[in-house]
Amino acid sequence: MTIYERARAGEPIDKRSDEYQAVAVPELKRSRTLCHRINMLDPYDPKVRELFDELFEGRLPATSNILTPVNIDRGATISIGENVFINWNFSTVSTGSVTIEDNVQIACNVQMLTANHDYEDMMVLHCEPIVIKKGVWIGAGSTIMGGVIVGEDAVVAAGSVVTKDVEPFTIVGGNPARVLKEKPHKE
């Protein structure tokens, strides 16, 4: 298994290890450098899209759009579906992987954090993936923590801190996020 597969599976990752230094650190540098270049361009410069394509290694669908500025630590561990819109100031710590399925809307200032430090050894990371299912809307300033699955057609209210799975067709809000109400199912 690769270091990212092990991180996704919840295996502790030691940042001092040779594999972390050989794989994860270069990807961090590559992604941060590309984000810096993206963020320095005029937001409507066609080179922005070219650099996003490079950041996501050709996996960003033409139907999806991300506004600048961004802070994405590892483009290689993020998967974005069709018809996704991500507003400005999207930030990730994606060692454990982030999957964003089709037709997702993400407002400004959203964070997705898949890694946490071991409290006894800060050089060890505990990672869990984040999965955002189809049709989700995540409100401005929300934080999604590692290990969370946001279910299909759910809504995360602005400013929420999501620490547990969100059921499909629910609206959650608060810190920590809790169910506010059910959302009608689309037929």
Side-chain angles (χ1 to χ4, degrees):
M1 278 201 302
T2 70
I3 193 166
Y4 294 127
E5 290 168 335
R6 290 198 325 273
R8 210 172 16 255
E11 182 180 316
I13 303 298
D14 191 327
K15 292 172 57 174
R16 297 167 291 222
S17 73
D18 291 341
E19 185 180 19
Y20 185 89
Q21 295 299 316
V23 176
V25 170
E27 175 58 17
L28 176 66
K29 289 179 180 178
R30 182 190 79 85
S31 295
R32 290 190 68 212
T33 299
L34 284 167
C35 285
H36 176 75
R37 290 175 59 200
I38 289 166
N39 294 337
M40 296 307 292
L41 290 171
D42 179 290
Y44 301 101
D45 189 318
K47 291 179 186 168
V48 169
R49 181 60 192 216
E50 293 172 22
L51 291 171
F52 272 127
D53 286 339
E54 186 177 344
L55 176 65
F56 294 109
E57 301 171 324
R59 295 176 286 108
L60 182 64
T63 60
S64 293
N65 193 21
I66 304 171
L67 300 187
T68 62
V70 295
N71 291 294
I72 296 169
D73 69 330
R74 289 180 175 82
T77 61
I78 299 174
S79 173
I80 298 174
E82 298 283 344
N83 301 308
V84 170
F85 175 77
I86 300 174
N87 215 326
W88 47 269
N89 278 343
F90 180 62
S91 295
T92 66
V93 175
S94 59
T95 311
S97 82
V98 172
T99 301
I100 301 169
E101 294 185 356
D102 300 341
N103 303 311
V104 169
Q105 299 284 308
I106 298 175
C108 57
N109 297 314
V110 169
Q111 301 180 92
M112 295 190 184
L113 311 172
T114 69
N116 203 348
H117 294 273
D118 187 294
Y119 66 90
E120 291 181 2
D121 184 349
M122 297 290 275
M123 293 302 287
V124 173
L125 297 176
H126 296 281
C127 303
E128 295 180 275
I130 292 171
V131 178
I132 310 299
K133 295 291 195 174
K134 294 177 184 175
V136 167
W137 175 20
I138 300 176
S142 294
T143 300
I144 313 295
M145 301 303 294
V148 166
I149 298 171
V150 180
E152 185 174 348
D153 282 314
V155 175
V156 175
S160 297
V161 177
V162 183
T163 60
K164 295 181 180 171
D165 289 352
V166 176
E167 292 297 317
F169 301 99
T170 58
I171 300 171
V172 300
N175 179 5
R178 61 181 173 75
V179 174
L180 300 175
K181 68 183 193 176
E182 299 292 319
K183 185 178 167 196
H185 294 245
K186 294 178 186 175
E187 295 298 323

